[in-house]
Amino acid sequence: MSATLKDVALKAGVSTSAVSRTFTPGASVSTKMRTRVEKAAEELGYQPNFLARSLTTRRTKLIGLVSDNFTNPFFLHVFDLFTSGLQEQGLRPLLVNISGQHDPVETAQMLRQYSVDGVIVASSTVGRDFVDAFQNVKIPIVYTFSRYYSSPEVNIVGIDNRAAGEYAANILIDRGYETIGFMGGPKEAISTYDRYLGFSKVMSEHPEIDFSYSFAEAYSFAAGRKEMMRLLEGDKAEAYFGADDVVSIGALSAIEAHGLSVPDDIGILGLNDIEMAGWENINLTTIRQPVAQIVASSIELMASLLEREGEQYPEARLLPSRLVERGTLRPPSDI
Amino acid sequence: MSATLKDVALKAGVSTSAVSRTFTPGASVSTKMRTRVEKAAEELGYQPNFLARSLTTRRTKLIGLVSDNFTNPFFLHVFDLFTSGLQEQGLRPLLVNISGQHDPVETAQMLRQYSVDGVIVASSTVGRDFVDAFQNVKIPIVYTFSRYYSSPEVNIVGIDNRAAGEYAANILIDRGYETIGFMGGPKEAISTYDRYLGFSKVMSEHPEIDFSYSFAEAYSFAAGRKEMMRLLEGDKAEAYFGADDVVSIGALSAIEAHGLSVPDDIGILGLNDIEMAGWENINLTTIRQPVAQIVASSIELMASLLEREGEQYPEARLLPSRLVERGTLRPPSDI
DNA sequence: ACCTTTTTTGCAACCGGTTGCAAAATAATT
DNA sequence: AATTATTTTGCAACCGGTTGCAAAAAAGGT
């Protein structure tokens, strides 16, 4: 097998501690010793074993990256940013897929068994039971792309979904739409729920507007399409807040299939601003989540948690979302 | 910190070996001992430390999952299947993102430092230098979604890209197209290159057909659109083999922007059959890669490599791809 | 009840490293 | 040159487990 500490020590004729110190940044070694050890290590192709080291240092640099969202292309981008960002910090993402039915407790135990230094949960739909299970094992956790308003004591990074819901509602009202619908993702999703909360609050302040709401079965194209198909059978609204881009794009397809045109016959407002929303054959007006910022901030927060050994109070970092004007909503009615 | 072997042994009043054995499947322990230990473990909330264990067993159950493709939604599906499939086998994917410029040697060393049991490379564009670097550290490797015809001694699972290129060419010829174009992904991509090889081979056997080819800059919507825009400025062909769905969908958008209709004015054939290809507003005729099979077979192959401790000769598992008829190609010309 | 065979258990060494502590070596001071 | 302060090094214990081996216990045979 590959060379170990002992092999190097033997070859260099020094103690194992010396070798260990050469590979430990900031340890006390003379330059003479260092070059000597390095030479032997070089010749043997020695690389310290990170996991053996972790036994004493109690740092594996492994970060559990757990998600249940492997269908929404938005999350591919999220994974891209997370993995490259973590790698830059010398951290290693252990990807955990909890879609399908997984036991929260088992997942938490698994992460403990692998001694991950921390856990980042990247999902807008992960259930409360997972939050609780993770809370029990004492590992630093950061939740992203989700938001419990009735928050347990956890770290959160993301947009303020409730505020985004309010923002969306005001946008549609400003455009002069008089019948407005909220078309959410799955009812169980926290993100959708919070967006609904904000949206309906504003609507309740505007009794003159005919407000309705419904939920797609999943954060997917097919579900969005299906739900919009259903809506178009009945009294359709003038505009819908799709609450997610993929769902909205599915809805657009349904509208097209009905021979209706956007934004003349019906307006659609998405949320996320995935790459596809900008494709010229889609051109979805949407509210952008600052994904890169959210991810960067999450990693930064995780790094500081690791530093301070969990001494820190949990915090919520909420970032602003903003409208990206494209072609699926009519312009603001000028007063 | 959390309970260790020793704590449990102490509490149960037995040796540490006994405790270790209760948690080692197939070890010799009496039922009396087992229940006694389990009770103590239960009370202390003990879970064996996987990494410490790996020190002696030489198995971490970590699998490096390395990819450089974080923009093509096709790969989100691939990651979904890989992560859940690996988890089912009790294996843990350490996700490594090598997009951006990463040093192959460093990446290989990193994987060795984390003592991964094996590496799965999921990418159609990963360079030969990575293949070589991984080859040097003695870790079982499986390459998926890629294919070197001038193959080094490595394990490969995927479709036969050259055969798929031939298949595509024959499909277009059967439809009676007389000017045909190959529009590949990036020139550097192995997959695109092999597809081109097969495609052009068939074309060279049909001198009556006006054959041309070009390459998009990346496996992305924007690149496909841009390339098709460029092609439409000149003497466009009657049909194109897009060599990737996302690229093809980009091309469709360019065609639409030019006011041309599909399949009447121009035919497009994709490859992959990503979910989006089936969306009713896209409806792309495409050649399907059997993704689920490829992933399952890769995992199975990896599992058997781990079993046999690398005694196995490298093998190539090539799976069949097949046409999915939709709306972007005209029907076969009946003779 | 006694001897033999089989199963269960504990001891102690080991996996590949790190680290507190004291001894040894080097540098600084007088 | 002798004394003191500082840096470097090795010893040995430890991180949390596993495992070969021999002793102890249990089971089987007569």
Side-chain angles (χ1 to χ4, degrees):
Chain A
M1 215 24 91
S2 55
T4 77
L5 239 203
K6 215 174 287 179
D7 300 333
V8 178
L10 213 65
K11 172 140 197 166
V14 299
S15 73
T16 58
S17 338
V19 181
S20 172
R21 290 190 177 107
T22 319
F23 288 91
T24 307
S28 155
V29 225
S30 65
T31 16
K32 214 171 299 178
M33 172 99 301
R34 156 157 280 130
T35 53
R36 186 165 168 189
V37 169
E38 274 169 351
K39 178 155 164 292
E42 177 70 45
E43 286 173 25
L44 293 172
Y46 169 77
Q47 293 287 129
N49 179 327
F50 236 92
L51 301 181
R53 165 180 294 174
S54 80
L55 265 189
T56 38
T57 61
R58 303 181 160 288
R59 290 224 166 300
T60 56
K61 303 238 173 198
L62 290 172
I63 301 289
L65 180 58
V66 353
S67 180
D68 60 353
N69 212 319
F70 285 81
T71 56
N72 193 336
F74 175 66
F75 275 88
L76 183 58
H77 188 208
V78 170
F79 293 151
D80 187 11
L81 293 170
F82 263 124
T83 50
S84 54
L86 287 169
Q87 284 172 196
E88 263 166 40
Q89 303 275 325
L91 300 172
R92 304 294 158 192
L94 194 64
L95 187 57
V96 181
N97 183 345
I98 55 169
S99 61
Q101 63 302 350
H102 280 270
D103 180 27
V105 176
E106 270 178 25
T107 305
Q109 284 181 346
M110 185 281 275
L111 288 167
R112 219 188 55 178
Q113 291 194 63
Y114 273 92
S115 317
V116 297
D117 286 350
V119 174
I120 293 175
V121 179
S123 165
S124 51
T125 55
V126 73
R128 181 60 168 269
D129 42 354
F130 272 94
V131 179
D132 295 338
F134 290 156
Q135 211 63 8
N136 283 336
V137 303
K138 295 297 184 198
I139 302 174
I141 307 193
V142 174
Y143 288 85
T144 62
F145 300 103
S146 169
R147 170 87 172 109
Y148 280 100
Y149 256 97
S150 56
S151 165
E153 298 288 289
V154 295
N155 292 292
I156 290 170
V157 183
I159 60 169
D160 185 331
N161 281 305
R162 182 136 63 158
E166 293 176 13
Y167 183 37
N170 285 319
I171 289 167
L172 295 181
I173 290 170
D174 285 354
R175 306 285 161 125
Y177 292 109
E178 286 167 356
T179 61
I180 294 179
F182 173 92
M183 195 180 107
K187 254 197 297 295
E188 310 78 46
I190 313 122
S191 52
T192 274
Y193 182 71
D194 282 344
R195 285 165 203 169
Y196 169 75
L197 244 46
F199 198 86
S200 63
K201 168 164 170 281
V202 171
M203 285 301 155
S204 71
E205 291 159 2
H206 288 266
E208 76 281 9
I209 288 175
D210 183 359
F211 170 53
S212 60
Y213 63 90
S214 70
F215 299 92
E217 286 165 6
Y219 274 132
S220 75
F221 176 88
R225 185 173 206 276
K226 184 174 167 196
E227 181 55 24
M228 182 52 79
M229 278 295 193
R230 199 183 64 76
L231 291 172
L232 292 177
E233 300 299 324
D235 293 339
K236 66 174 205 295
E238 288 170 12
Y240 288 91
F241 172 42
D244 172 82
D245 280 358
V246 174
V247 169
S248 299
I249 292 170
L252 285 177
S253 146
I255 293 167
E256 190 182 328
H258 264 249
L260 298 172
S261 90
V262 174
D264 297 335
D265 297 326
I266 194 165
I268 293 287
L269 174 60
L271 190 149
N272 267 354
D273 195 27
I274 60 176
E275 191 208 340
M276 213 180 307
W279 290 5
E280 315 204 14
N281 54 342
I282 290 177
N283 203 30
L284 178 70
T285 301
T286 190
I287 294 174
R288 169 179 295 167
Q289 290 208 56
V291 195
Q293 270 184 64
I294 292 176
V295 171
S297 183
S298 307
I299 294 176
E300 196 272 318
L301 176 54
M302 177 55 74
S304 92
L305 289 174
L306 298 182
E307 198 100 6
R308 307 223 207 328
E309 302 266 1
E311 284 301 295
Q312 216 159 326
Y313 279 100
E315 60 178 294
R317 298 186 175 185
L318 298 184
L319 290 109
S321 45
R322 66 158 226 273
L323 183 66
V324 178
E325 191 75 52
R326 291 205 187 90
T328 59
L329 227 50
R330 69 186 182 205
S333 58
D334 28 39
I335 305 160
Chain B
M1 215 23 90
S2 54
T4 78
L5 241 202
K6 214 175 288 180
D7 300 332
V8 178
L10 212 66
K11 173 141 197 167
V14 300
S15 74
T16 58
S17 339
V19 180
S20 172
R21 288 188 179 110
T22 24
F23 288 92
T24 307
S28 157
V29 225
S30 65
T31 16
K32 213 172 298 176
M33 173 98 291
R34 155 157 281 127
T35 53
R36 186 165 167 191
V37 169
E38 274 170 350
K39 179 157 164 290
E42 176 70 46
E43 286 174 26
L44 292 172
Y46 169 76
Q47 294 288 130
N49 179 327
F50 236 93
L51 301 181
R53 165 181 292 174
S54 80
L55 224 41
T56 37
T57 61
R58 305 184 158 286
R59 291 224 164 302
T60 56
K61 304 237 174 199
L62 290 173
I63 301 289
L65 180 58
V66 355
S67 179
D68 61 352
N69 212 319
F70 286 81
T71 55
N72 192 336
F74 175 67
F75 275 88
L76 183 58
H77 188 209
V78 170
F79 293 152
D80 187 11
L81 293 170
F82 264 124
T83 49
S84 53
L86 288 169
Q87 284 171 197
E88 263 166 40
Q89 303 275 325
L91 300 172
R92 304 294 159 193
L94 194 63
L95 187 58
V96 181
N97 183 344
I98 55 169
S99 61
Q101 64 303 350
H102 280 271
D103 180 28
V105 176
E106 270 177 25
T107 307
Q109 285 182 346
M110 184 280 274
L111 288 166
R112 220 189 53 179
Q113 291 195 66
Y114 273 92
S115 316
V116 296
D117 286 351
V119 173
I120 293 176
V121 179
S123 164
S124 51
T125 55
V126 73
R128 182 60 169 270
D129 42 354
F130 272 95
V131 179
D132 295 340
F134 289 157
Q135 211 63 9
N136 284 335
V137 302
K138 294 296 183 197
I139 302 174
I141 306 193
V142 175
Y143 288 86
T144 62
F145 300 103
S146 168
R147 170 88 171 107
Y148 279 100
Y149 257 98
S150 57
S151 164
E153 298 289 289
V154 296
N155 292 291
I156 291 170
V157 184
I159 60 168
D160 184 331
N161 281 305
R162 182 136 62 158
E166 293 176 13
Y167 184 38
N170 285 319
I171 289 167
L172 295 181
I173 290 171
D174 285 352
R175 307 285 162 126
Y177 292 111
E178 285 165 0
T179 60
I180 295 180
F182 173 92
M183 195 179 106
K187 254 196 299 296
E188 310 76 48
I190 311 123
S191 52
T192 274
Y193 182 72
D194 283 343
R195 285 165 203 170
Y196 169 74
L197 244 46
F199 198 85
S200 62
K201 167 164 171 282
V202 172
M203 286 301 156
S204 71
E205 292 159 1
H206 287 266
E208 77 281 9
I209 289 173
D210 183 359
F211 170 53
S212 60
Y213 63 91
S214 70
F215 299 92
E217 286 165 7
Y219 275 131
S220 75
F221 176 88
R225 185 173 207 276
K226 185 173 165 198
E227 182 55 24
M228 182 52 79
M229 279 295 195
R230 199 183 64 77
L231 292 171
L232 292 177
E233 300 300 326
D235 293 340
K236 65 174 204 296
E238 288 170 13
Y240 288 92
F241 172 41
D244 173 83
D245 280 358
V246 174
V247 169
S248 299
I249 291 169
L252 284 177
S253 147
I255 292 167
E256 190 183 332
H258 264 249
L260 297 173
S261 90
V262 173
D264 297 335
D265 297 326
I266 195 166
I268 293 286
L269 174 61
L271 191 149
N272 267 355
D273 194 28
I274 60 177
E275 190 208 342
M276 215 180 304
W279 291 5
E280 316 205 15
N281 52 343
I282 290 178
N283 204 30
L284 177 70
T285 302
T286 190
I287 294 174
R288 168 180 297 166
Q289 290 208 55
V291 195
Q293 272 183 64
I294 292 176
V295 171
S297 182
S298 307
I299 294 176
E300 195 272 318
L301 176 55
M302 176 56 74
S304 93
L305 289 175
L306 297 183
E307 198 101 5
R308 307 222 207 329
E309 303 265 1
E311 284 301 295
Q312 216 160 328
Y313 280 99
E315 59 179 295
R317 298 185 175 186
L318 298 184
L319 291 108
S321 45
R322 65 159 228 272
L323 183 67
V324 177
E325 190 73 53
R326 292 205 187 91
T328 59
L329 227 50
R330 70 188 181 204
S333 57
D334 28 39
I335 305 159

